[in-house]
Amino acid sequence: MIDKILDYTYDIVVAIAMIYSIYLWVKKGYTAKQKYFFLYLVAVFIVDVLGLVFIRKAFKIHQTYLFFPFIIFSILYFRYFYIQDYKTKKDHYFLNAIAAISVGMSLYFQFSIGFPKFNNNVFLMMILFFLLASLQWFLYIIRFVDEQNITVKQSFWVSFALLFWSIFALFRMYLGTWLYNYNQDIFNVINFLFSICNIMMYSFFIKGLRCVDYNVLRTFNSFKK
């Protein structure tokens, strides 16, 4: 019962985030200011909400054919999202490198076993990319402090959400099998907490969408590199 409630809550939060982002796009014209975030949220809604409930059953599509392209898209989108903030070549190179490695390794892992099987290492590549990309943004904002409060930046909420989620996902991924064999009650608790983590991530995304006025124009005090 609690699992279904969490699933419905997740679907509702994702839908709210998507609808709000589309509202900002259509009614407010905030496409550039929100860094086209509605595209990512629409993809999440299609894959995670419609995909699991309707698309797979209606068209008899294996989940790998939805999930694998979504992972590649997610890596490429957040590469675009973050590179808008960076003013130094070194940060551009690093972000491009981890994105290229993540996509390249994802393609290698998946095609090494073929479809429709899903290689869990592909999921690991997305987790590691989210982890490194969000940490890079936090380090960047520490190096180049500007006049704005960090909590009014969409990138802060997105980075915090991705960092929070990726750490928990990494923990669950590596300990999940062991916990399932060791103690299923603990495993169920971890799954419950991970569901909460998913809901919180998109709640942070919604908070970030409310910060669109601070996404594009930011005056830094200095750039030395």
Side-chain angles (χ1 to χ4, degrees):
M1 182 64 180
I2 188 67
D3 291 336
K4 289 185 177 180
I5 293 175
L6 289 175
D7 288 341
Y8 288 139
T9 302
Y10 172 80
D11 293 346
I12 291 171
V13 172
V14 170
I16 291 173
M18 180 191 68
I19 293 170
Y20 185 49
S21 68
I22 292 176
Y23 166 77
L24 292 175
W25 165 40
V26 176
K27 293 295 185 180
K28 299 292 186 178
Y30 285 162
T31 50
K33 286 186 177 182
Q34 69 167 219
K35 301 177 184 177
Y36 299 91
F37 206 74
F38 74 94
L39 292 175
Y40 175 73
L41 293 173
V42 168
V44 173
F45 185 78
I46 291 174
V47 174
D48 267 4
V49 180
L50 295 182
L52 294 178
V53 179
F54 300 108
I55 297 177
R56 285 172 53 193
K57 293 181 179 179
F59 298 98
K60 297 181 180 179
I61 297 176
H62 194 277
Q63 63 179 1
T64 301
Y65 292 106
L66 293 173
F67 197 49
F68 177 70
F70 172 70
I71 287 180
I72 300 300
F73 170 77
S74 297
I75 294 172
L76 294 177
Y77 172 76
F78 282 106
R79 176 264 172 199
Y80 163 80
F81 179 90
Y82 282 115
I83 211 164
Q84 306 303 308
D85 276 357
Y86 299 147
K87 308 297 183 181
T88 67
K89 290 184 178 180
K90 181 173 68 175
D91 288 289
H92 279 221
Y93 291 152
F94 181 79
L95 182 60
N96 286 330
I98 60 174
I101 292 172
S102 299
V103 170
M105 294 302 294
S106 295
L107 293 171
Y108 169 77
F109 286 134
Q110 185 57 46
F111 284 98
S112 66
I113 65 169
F115 294 90
K117 293 182 179 180
F118 181 74
N119 193 318
N120 287 331
N121 287 324
V122 176
F123 187 59
L124 175 62
M125 289 298 100
M126 184 180 71
I127 294 173
L128 292 177
F129 175 77
F130 284 177
L131 181 64
L132 292 175
S134 57
L135 285 174
Q136 181 189 8
W137 187 86
F138 280 113
L139 291 174
Y140 180 84
I141 211 68
I142 290 173
R143 286 162 50 210
F144 300 113
V145 179
D146 65 15
E147 74 283 358
Q148 294 170 356
N149 190 320
I150 192 173
T151 58
V152 301
K153 305 177 190 297
Q154 182 189 20
S155 295
F156 166 76
W157 294 104
V158 170
S159 299
F160 182 78
L162 293 182
L163 182 62
F164 175 74
W165 180 87
S166 59
I167 291 174
F168 207 102
L170 197 61
F171 172 79
R172 178 181 178 274
M173 182 177 184
Y174 276 97
L175 293 182
T177 303
W178 180 82
L179 286 172
Y180 183 82
N181 295 326
Y182 177 75
N183 190 315
Q184 290 191 13
D185 290 334
I186 298 177
F187 176 79
N188 291 333
V189 171
I190 295 298
N191 274 345
F192 170 79
L193 294 176
F194 188 63
S195 297
I196 297 295
C197 178
N198 285 330
I199 294 170
M200 291 180 65
M201 178 172 70
Y202 288 96
S203 298
F204 291 138
F205 286 164
I206 294 173
K207 174 65 177 177
L209 287 171
R210 297 174 60 86
C211 304
V212 290
D213 288 335
Y214 300 91
N215 283 349
V216 177
L217 299 177
R218 297 189 300 152
T219 303
F220 289 85
N221 293 329
S222 63
F223 291 96
K224 298 180 179 179
K225 299 180 182 181

